[in-house]
Amino acid sequence: MTEHNSPAAAGTSTAGWWRDAVIYQVYPRSFADGNGDGMGDLDGIRSRLPYLKDLGVDAVWLSPFYASPQADAGYDVADYRAIDPMFGTMPSADALIRDAHELGLRIIVDVVPNHSSDQHDWFQRALKEGPGSALRERYHFRPGRGANGELPPNDWESVFGGAAWTRTRNPDGTPGDWYLHLFAPEQPDFNWEHPAVADEFRSILRFWLDKGIDGFRVDVAHGLVKAAGLPDIGGSDQVKLLGNSVMPFFDQDGVHAIYRSWRKVLDEYPGARIAVAEAWTPTVERSALYVRPDELHQAFNFQYLATHWDAADLQAVIDASLDAMRPVGAPATWVLSNHDVTRHATRFASAPAGTQIREPGDRELGLRRARAASLLMLALPGSAYLYQGEELGLPDVTDLPDEARQDPSFFRAAGQDGFRDGCRVPIPWTKAGRSHGFGDGGSWLPQPSGWGELSVEAQTGDPGSTLELYREALRIRRTQPDLGAGDRVEWLPAPDGALAFRRGAFACTVNATAEPVRFPVNGRVLLASSPVTVEGDEAVLAPDSTVWWTV
């Protein structure tokens, strides 16, 4: 098995590269289609790597491309060491990793350790062998409650809606035990108390590290360990509690021993390989537990993502995030959009309403705020994550017809909103064409009219475009010594509804209100999300805008 050289092996500095990295999430089925079947793939991604290099990101995170029945867009993995034919072949993956490294880009891949597909060999054999099978101990099989075992073993609810348990049938056709799935029934949860599960995932990590990948994004990192005895919660609408309190199936303290063992594996490899936790926790303080010095390197800052466009709330979550990460020596992370939430250009287009929005809102307002929020995020100390298409200012597609939707939770009665398809519509590369340059075979989700005007082609070279704003912001971020890594900001006086802070010779001012705001001139303007006017010793910031200064 050939190990590809990482950017570090080619001579780039490795020490703590992730501390100020800008990492770009690619959702493979919606980025670029290399074979014209209407579905994005690895060859399509490979063909667009020069675009990502030119954009100025440091690393590319790939959502799952493993062999999967696609019951949940690849987060139901049947074989962790195989590429789904939908996305290509193992040589396609090898070529993608090699090309990325030659361009100086690192590659981070998803790993899905909380659950497998119900088509995984372990689970299929457990079903066929029936009660007493040793393989059943690698999942959570339990007898039902009630006189004939007809009731689920406890009252846990699936994040996707309905009970978190499905009853099996024994090999002889009689009703059997139940199995746990915190997500879709096609995604049975692993039992991480079983040593074979831990051994298997350490092996999976090494398989991909041997191929030269630079790190992992750990899906549902907070879910691996369940409370002893699988106790009842004692209420319904449990999904509404997620992220607000420690649940018996999420954010249990036992997960940290798993990640300490993973850190040892990562540290065996040269080139500073990393792991980032997708951990929905009640507080940033609990998120910090995942990134103690002997555990993972980063954890997504969902508290920041969920904060609406409000100066006081933003300052509070920024302070809380930096304060939580400082004691454990980990960088804060900042993220505004991903494949599971409504794009921030749409979230910010209306009044605060959570992270999943069904209405388009005021498109102009949403884009203006999104541009300002992006500059604020990229000015903060730590690492930033971008979701494909946000650099184009793409809104969510809120009017997809029901017959086009493919989010599994859309078809269930309750639970997660089910409208995640809106942020997964393939991105536009060209002004015209059947799928605006996505591929020759159309698009697996319909692209809206006017999509071409937001394309890479349409925005390239336009100094007022969102794409060029991102390109310039990332260029400045690389060249300004006071941007990037760090663990604190110096807050400056600001009018109500506004923010201002310094980082050495760099300053950032933010107007989060609907009216112009005056600030003392903070030096020379480096970049602004909207035009800024300087009148004598005062600067007038436009509504919903951010300005970068060198002082």
Side-chain angles (χ1 to χ4, degrees):
M1 185 178 297
T2 300
E3 180 177 341
H4 301 308
N5 287 334
S6 71
T12 304
S13 173
T14 66
W17 67 267
W18 65 90
R19 292 186 171 273
D20 62 354
V22 177
I23 300 172
Y24 186 99
Q25 180 189 359
V26 165
Y27 192 67
R29 62 176 58 205
S30 298
F31 191 66
D33 174 13
N35 63 5
D37 66 355
M39 186 71 67
D41 49 43
L42 297 179
D43 285 341
I45 298 168
R46 183 184 174 200
S47 73
R48 298 294 187 179
L49 288 174
Y51 165 79
L52 297 177
K53 174 65 174 178
D54 180 65
L55 181 62
V57 300
D58 301 295
V60 181
W61 152 34
L62 303 175
S63 291
F65 48 76
Y66 309 111
S68 167
Q70 304 297 321
D72 184 24
Y75 284 92
D76 51 318
V77 181
D79 187 341
Y80 291 84
R81 299 177 181 84
I83 307 298
D84 195 287
M86 172 190 302
F87 299 120
T89 63
M90 192 60 76
S92 302
D94 290 336
L96 173 58
I97 296 167
R98 181 187 65 244
D99 287 3
H101 286 169
E102 289 177 353
L103 288 168
L105 295 168
R106 290 179 167 85
I107 293 291
I108 294 171
V109 302
D110 252 298
V111 65
V112 187
N114 180 71
H115 48 262
S116 73
S117 165
D118 62 353
Q119 299 304 303
H120 191 286
D121 180 63
W122 285 2
F123 193 76
Q124 284 295 301
R125 287 167 55 196
L127 292 178
K128 291 175 182 176
E129 293 173 9
S133 168
L135 285 168
R136 291 198 170 200
E137 297 175 6
R138 300 180 186 186
Y139 294 90
H140 293 278
F141 282 86
R142 295 288 187 278
R145 297 189 290 193
N148 299 300
E150 70 277 10
L151 300 176
N154 67 20
D155 66 356
W156 293 0
E157 296 173 354
S158 164
V159 174
F160 285 172
W165 297 88
T166 290
R167 196 172 193 185
T168 67
R169 298 198 76 81
N170 293 321
D172 64 4
T174 59
D177 288 339
W178 298 71
Y179 69 87
L180 177 67
H181 53 85
L182 292 179
F183 295 89
E186 297 87 353
Q187 296 169 290
D189 279 45
F190 284 116
N191 174 17
W192 273 86
E193 300 296 326
H194 197 289
V197 175
D199 289 345
E200 171 68 355
F201 273 91
R202 284 192 293 267
S203 174
I204 291 166
L205 297 183
R206 289 191 173 95
F207 176 86
W208 288 102
L209 290 166
D210 286 343
K211 284 191 166 291
I213 66 100
D214 300 283
F216 300 92
R217 176 264 192 186
V218 186
D219 185 62
V220 194
H222 54 304
L224 278 55
V225 171
K226 280 66 175 175
L230 309 184
D232 282 342
I233 293 174
S236 59
D237 289 332
Q238 295 166 15
V239 72
K240 295 179 180 178
L241 301 176
L242 299 184
N244 297 313
S245 59
V246 176
M247 307 289 280
F249 48 75
F250 279 163
D251 197 28
Q252 294 291 304
D253 290 339
V255 299
H256 299 291
I258 297 168
Y259 298 132
R260 284 192 287 274
S261 74
W262 284 22
R263 181 60 178 262
K264 292 177 181 177
V265 173
L266 291 164
D267 287 347
E268 293 172 6
Y269 288 80
R273 317 296 177 94
I274 72 163
V276 55
E278 184 216 21
W280 289 86
T281 63
T283 64
V284 288
E285 289 76 17
R286 287 201 65 86
S287 294
L289 299 178
Y290 290 78
V291 290
R292 288 174 287 192
D294 60 346
E295 294 192 36
L296 305 180
H297 298 76
Q298 293 182 340
F300 286 127
N301 190 342
F302 293 119
Q303 283 80 13
Y304 185 76
L305 182 149
T307 303
H308 196 66
W309 185 239
D310 177 87
D313 291 346
L314 287 165
Q315 182 170 344
V317 75
I318 290 167
D319 279 341
S321 301
L322 295 173
D323 289 347
M325 296 299 154
R326 198 175 296 118
V328 296
T333 64
W334 315 100
V335 60
L336 291 168
S337 289
N338 64 34
H339 65 291
D340 280 332
V341 301
T342 300
R343 290 182 177 275
H344 61 283
T346 297
R347 293 203 318 275
F348 292 160
S350 54
T355 59
Q356 291 181 324
I357 309 296
R358 301 188 187 185
E359 301 299 328
D362 182 334
R363 165 67 179 149
E364 182 179 345
L365 173 65
L367 179 59
R368 189 168 67 243
R369 288 176 169 178
R371 287 164 57 94
S374 297
L375 285 195
L376 168 59
M377 175 181 75
L378 291 170
L380 295 171
S383 180
Y385 282 78
L386 311 181
Y387 177 53
Q388 64 177 43
E390 75 171 69
E391 77 278 13
L392 305 177
L394 294 185
D396 239 59
V397 181
T398 56
D399 59 353
L400 286 171
D402 289 355
E403 60 270 19
R405 294 189 180 276
Q406 301 191 35
D407 185 346
S409 59
F410 177 76
F411 301 99
R412 297 174 70 82
Q416 199 172 52
D417 187 279
F419 285 81
R420 296 178 298 173
D421 291 317
C423 67
R424 300 176 179 183
V425 173
I427 66 174
W429 294 92
T430 59
K431 295 179 184 179
R434 185 177 175 192
S435 61
H436 299 292
F438 170 66
D440 295 334
S443 166
W444 69 282
L445 284 172
Q447 297 165 310
S449 61
W451 214 229
E453 295 306 310
L454 299 174
S455 67
V456 173
E457 180 186 19
Q459 296 194 42
T460 295
D462 176 0
S465 72
T466 301
L467 175 57
E468 295 299 348
L469 179 74
Y470 269 75
R471 284 174 170 160
E472 183 64 5
L474 294 179
R475 185 195 67 78
I476 293 172
R477 185 180 164 103
R478 289 193 303 274
T479 58
Q480 278 287 322
D482 292 309
L483 279 176
D487 64 5
R488 64 189 68 243
V489 299
E490 177 192 351
W491 293 107
L492 302 174
D496 289 345
L499 297 173
F501 61 84
R502 282 185 63 163
R503 301 185 60 200
F506 170 86
C508 178
T509 53
V510 181
N511 178 10
T513 76
E515 301 295 332
V517 167
R518 291 180 175 270
F519 279 93
V521 169
N522 280 288
R524 177 173 59 86
V525 174
L526 288 171
L527 189 62
S529 66
S530 295
V532 56
T533 302
V534 176
E535 298 177 352
D537 59 356
E538 284 191 324
V540 183
L541 269 64
D544 300 308
S545 67
T546 296
V547 181
W548 287 4
W549 308 81
T550 181
V551 293

